[in-house]
């Protein structure tokens, strides 16, 4: 119960007094020990030095000390780190990469909350790239976005391509601590860039906190020259100094950026340091030729505790006792602290006694009822019917500003109920409702009701529904990370490990749904949502009815169609492209056709998203690709069930061998639309 009842004021006072007396000695001991620890622990400096005169593979430590992520490569013949790694026939657009020191560096002392002091200098070159197409002809020279010296909390994240400089991506939450010093050669007004030749400091954001014009120090970053940067940070004074010039010349007398800067809120105790860069539609090669880095942080040396084994088994000498008495005399402020706390406690107890006594005199009951605690807004626990006025109020009258997207079934809106619960509302269109093959709203509501009873960690629950003479609406939880298609087909590059986890999550959710003799009927990337931990949840159920019996229809047709569309879903995750892409040539336009053709040529690796670079587990990606192709087989020619697919993905069963060539007859699949006719209406993208 949320209402608390005590038998009498005396019991409440005695309870409070007992708790206070119990806790105070502990608090006192903690204060004393903390004070003693702080006073007695010696302060030392922890220094870390990193030096790379070049990045030649002749240095055997290069493989251990430099970690390459995304499109970053080591060019042995030049002795440099390059982002992206250039090849004659690869597409260098929309690539992102990082090259970082493999081991974490201590950059913050949590005890004193003081950032470390550090100095780094590195030589680098930003040059135009000549992009060649598959036939070897030149596509033109382009300029890219520059590069960043980064300080980041982990050694596996790769940021977005394009103007994000591979520093941050959509998976980085607000508490993702990152610091970047950007040397930018492209002006992005949306990020507040002053021009296409500037230096900036980024604190947990791609928008620079401070920027400076590189022309002011006579530097043109994209002239193809090798430049050198010097970054110096004083952690105690919280002061930054950045200088920039041509490599090989003297240390610049003028700073490009100099001033106060507190990095404390953006640092963990241990961080990774290195470089990041990216390309978008504009292409640029980013090379790091040499790098030196030194960090010095303050730390308290840990000394053996007085609670040692020897003190546990020996009696203290008289000299020790005398010393302890002297130490107690040296800290009289602790006695006053105890005396003051006792007096305060007595005063509080007396005040409570008088307050409770007066309450008892004015009450006919001997019980004291404390007011109910204010509860935090919570989501709908049990699915329920909502009124159209509730949903209209939650979505601000179905305003365009709250619209999330639409498809041929209806429109999605974001909303907030009166209790504070954020929801997503699917409002079915009149055209969709009238197209249900003679079915009425009762049958649609029956299916919605059946879905609302299903619970699984990888299924987005139906939280409520609404129906009246005009409207039918379904209410889901709202996921701030949105749908998967925004992550997969957006500007950034979704790492392979996350893609594989999404595929497994969706397979398990779909398998559970099929075990209940239900079907999703709308399997696509925009129907998959991701929560804050990037767990995938399958939602946006199709609710397509048939003149047949519902369960019989699900078992005989819809589940098999679910498997086919799951196969296309897998191909999209592996390739990083949509099932139909009009911008590609005719041979690659249809993803299913292209994947089967590459299988027939034993070149399935060409289907795997090239933007993943060296981070992808190629063997695993090809196995998953084969599972996706199995799902597109004819129903009677080897198409697996979702239960089979879950076992394939968990390595509990051997993946069947694919036929040597693509079967003539597949699922009823229209290559012009990428859909199964009469089954799905396509993603709202």
């Amino acid at each position: 119960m949320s209402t608390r009842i005590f038998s009498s004021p005396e019991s409440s006072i005695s309870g409070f007094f007992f708790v206070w007396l119990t806790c105070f000695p502990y608090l006192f001991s903690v204060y004393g020990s903390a004070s003693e620890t702080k006073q007695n622990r010696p302060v030392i400096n922890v220094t870390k030095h990193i030096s790379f005169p070049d990045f030649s593979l002749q240095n055997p430590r290069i493989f251990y000390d430099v970690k390459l992520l995304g499109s970053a490569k080591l060019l042995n013949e030049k002795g440099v780190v390059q982002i992206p790694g250039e090849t004659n026939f690869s597409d260098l657009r929309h690539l992102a990469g990082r090259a970082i020191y493999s081991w974490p560096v201590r950059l913050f002392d949590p005890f004193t909350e003081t950032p470390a002091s550090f100095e780094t200098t590195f030589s680098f070159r930003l040059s135009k790239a000549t992009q060649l197409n598959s036939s070897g002809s030149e596509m033109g020279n382009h300029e890219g976005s520059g590069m960043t010296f980064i300080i980041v909390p982990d050694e596996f994240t790769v940021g977005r391509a394009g103007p994000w400089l591979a520093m941050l991506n959509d998976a980085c939450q607000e508490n993702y601590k990152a610091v970047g010093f950007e040397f930018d050669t492209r002006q992005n007004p949306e990020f507040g860039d002053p021009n296409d030749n500037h230096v900036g400091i980024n604190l947990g954001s791609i928008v620079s906190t401070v920027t400076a014009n590189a022309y002011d120090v006579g530097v043109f970053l994209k002239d193809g020259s090798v430049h050198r940067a010097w970054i110096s940070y004083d952690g105690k004074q919280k002061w930054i100094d950045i200088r920039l010039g041509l490599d090989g010349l003297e240390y610049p007398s003028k700073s490009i950026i100099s001033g106060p800067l507190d990095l404390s809120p953006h640092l963990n105790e241990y961080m990774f340091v290195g470089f990041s860069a990216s390309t978008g539609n504009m292409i640029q090669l980013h090379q790091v030729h040499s790098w030196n880095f030194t960090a010095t942080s303050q730390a308290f040396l840990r000394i053996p505790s007085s609670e040692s084994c020897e003190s546990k088994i020996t009696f203290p000498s008289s000299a020790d006792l005398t010393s302890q008495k002297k130490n107690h005399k040296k800290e009289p402020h602790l006695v006053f602290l105890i005396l003051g706390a006792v007096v305060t406690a007595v005063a509080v107890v007396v005040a409570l006694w008088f307050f409770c006594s007066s309450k008892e005199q004015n009450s006919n009951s001997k019980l004291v009822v404390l007011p109910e605690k204010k509860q935090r807004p919570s989501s709908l626990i049990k699915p329920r019917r909502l009124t159209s006025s509730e949903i209209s109020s939650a979505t601000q009258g179905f305003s365009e500003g709250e619209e999330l997207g639409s498809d041929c079934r209806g429109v999605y809106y974001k909303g907030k109920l009166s209790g504070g619960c954020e929801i997503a509302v699917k409002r079915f269109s009149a055209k969709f409702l009238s197209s249900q093959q003679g079915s009425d709203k009762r049958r649609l509501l029956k299916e919605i009701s059946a879905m609302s009873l299903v619970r699984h960690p990888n299924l987005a629950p139906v939280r409520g529904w609404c129906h009246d003479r005009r409207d039918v609406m379904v209410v889901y939880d709202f996921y701030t990370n949105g749908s998967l298609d925004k992550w997969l087909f957006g500007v950034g590059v979704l790492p392979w490990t996350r893609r594989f986890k999404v595929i497994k999550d969706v397979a398990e959710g779909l398998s559970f749904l099929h075990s209940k003799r239900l079907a999703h009927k709308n399997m696509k990337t925009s129907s998959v949502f991701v929560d804050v931990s990037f767990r995938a949840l399958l939602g946006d159920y199709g609710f397509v009815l048939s003149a047949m019996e519902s369960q019989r229809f699900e078992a005989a047709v819809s589940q098999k169609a679910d498997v086919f569309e799951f196969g296309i879903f897998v191909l999209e995750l592996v390739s990083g492209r949509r099932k139909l892409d009009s911008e590609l040539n005719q041979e690659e336009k249809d993803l299913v056709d292209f994947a089967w053709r590459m299988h027939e040529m034993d070149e399935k690796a060409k289907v795997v998203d090239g933007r993943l670079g060296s981070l992808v587990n190629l063997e695993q990606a090809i196995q998953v690709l084969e599972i996706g192709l199995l799902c597109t087989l004819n129903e009677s020619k080897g198409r697996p069930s979702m239960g089979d697919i879950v076992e394939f993905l968990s390595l509990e069963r051997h993946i069947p061998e694919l036929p040597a060539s693509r079967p003539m007859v597949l699922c009823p699949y229209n290559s012009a639309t990428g859909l199964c006719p009469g089954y799905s209406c396509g993603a709202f993208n």
Side-chain angles (χ1 to χ4, degrees), residues 259-324:
L261 180 68
D262 186 5
L263 295 182
S264 303
H266 308 282
L267 297 175
N268 295 328
E269 182 174 5
Y270 288 91
M271 304 285 283
F272 291 84
V273 293
F275 303 90
S276 70
S278 61
T279 60
N281 290 323
M282 313 293 280
I283 302 169
Q284 187 178 64
L285 298 182
H286 317 86
Q287 295 178 345
V288 181
H289 292 240
S290 64
W291 178 32
N292 286 292
F293 178 89
T294 301
T296 303
S297 62
Q298 187 181 71
F300 285 85
L301 184 65
R302 295 181 178 178
I303 58 177
S305 169
S306 60
E307 293 289 328
S308 62
C309 295
E310 184 179 357
S311 67
K312 294 288 186 181
I313 60 176
T314 60
F315 292 99
S317 63
S318 58
D320 292 334
L321 294 175
T322 303
S323 177
Q324 291 178 11

Side-chain angles (χ1 to χ4, degrees), residues 8-255:
S8 66
E10 288 82 359
S11 64
S12 64
I13 295 173
S14 62
F16 167 80
F17 194 62
F18 173 77
V19 171
W20 188 89
L21 289 178
T22 303
C23 295
F24 180 76
Y26 169 74
L27 295 174
F28 171 70
S29 65
V30 169
Y31 171 83
S33 62
S35 175
E36 184 179 358
T37 300
K38 185 175 180 180
Q39 292 175 2
N40 294 341
R41 289 171 63 182
V43 179
I44 62 171
N45 286 329
V46 178
T47 301
K48 176 64 178 180
H49 181 64
I50 301 170
S51 179
F52 293 100
D54 58 46
F55 293 90
S56 171
L57 299 183
Q58 294 178 359
N59 180 358
R61 293 294 308 175
I62 287 290
F63 291 107
Y64 300 99
D65 291 342
V66 178
K67 189 161 190 177
L68 303 175
L69 305 176
S71 62
K73 295 289 185 296
L74 284 169
L75 302 186
N76 184 42
E77 64 278 7
K78 297 181 180 179
V80 301
V81 172
Q82 181 170 292
I83 308 173
E86 185 180 21
T87 60
N88 288 336
F89 302 107
S90 62
D91 189 348
L92 301 180
R93 295 173 300 172
H94 302 291
L95 296 179
R98 286 184 182 179
I100 60 175
Y101 186 63
S102 299
W103 319 106
V105 178
R106 192 173 190 269
L107 290 177
F108 183 72
D109 178 34
F111 192 80
T112 60
E113 298 185 348
T114 303
S117 297
F118 63 84
E119 292 183 352
T120 185
T121 179
F122 50 89
S123 58
F124 65 99
R125 182 172 181 258
L126 310 178
S127 60
K128 298 179 181 180
T130 300
Q131 179 68 54
L132 303 179
N133 59 26
S134 57
S135 63
S137 59
E138 185 175 318
M139 295 171 61
N141 290 333
H142 303 280
E143 299 171 354
S145 300
M147 61 173 284
T148 304
F149 174 73
I150 54 171
I151 303 173
V152 288
D154 61 63
E155 76 282 24
F156 52 82
T157 298
V158 178
R160 274 188 171 193
W164 281 264
L165 302 171
M167 179 184 168
L168 298 170
N169 61 32
D170 292 333
C172 301
Q173 303 297 320
E174 293 182 0
N175 59 353
Y176 184 85
K177 296 185 177 181
V179 177
F181 300 89
E182 66 172 40
F183 300 84
D184 202 341
T185 58
R186 185 178 179 186
Q187 184 178 16
N188 296 100
E190 67 272 23
F191 296 151
D193 292 344
N195 59 16
D196 61 351
N197 186 48
H198 65 274
V199 176
I201 301 176
N202 302 347
L203 304 178
S205 170
I206 196 61
V207 179
S208 299
T209 303
V210 180
T211 59
N213 190 340
Y215 292 114
D216 292 344
V217 292
V219 171
F220 185 48
L221 289 169
K222 53 186 177 182
D223 63 1
S225 302
V226 178
H227 296 93
R228 178 169 290 276
W230 292 264
I231 303 174
S232 177
Y233 182 68
D234 188 329
K236 291 183 179 180
Q237 301 298 324
K238 296 182 174 57
W239 188 272
I240 188 71
D241 184 88
I242 302 177
R243 306 191 182 213
L244 185 63
L246 288 174
D247 188 38
L249 299 183
E250 295 182 355
Y251 181 71
S253 59
K254 179 182 178 182
S255 302

Side-chain angles (χ1 to χ4, degrees), residues 7 76 100 112 120 140 161 173 224 313 347 388 447 455 479 525 534:
S7 59
N76 184 42
I100 60 175
T112 60
T120 185
Q173 303 297 320
I313 60 176
S388 58
E447 184 159 347
R455 290 291 182 270
Y479 298 98
T525 55
F534 221 83

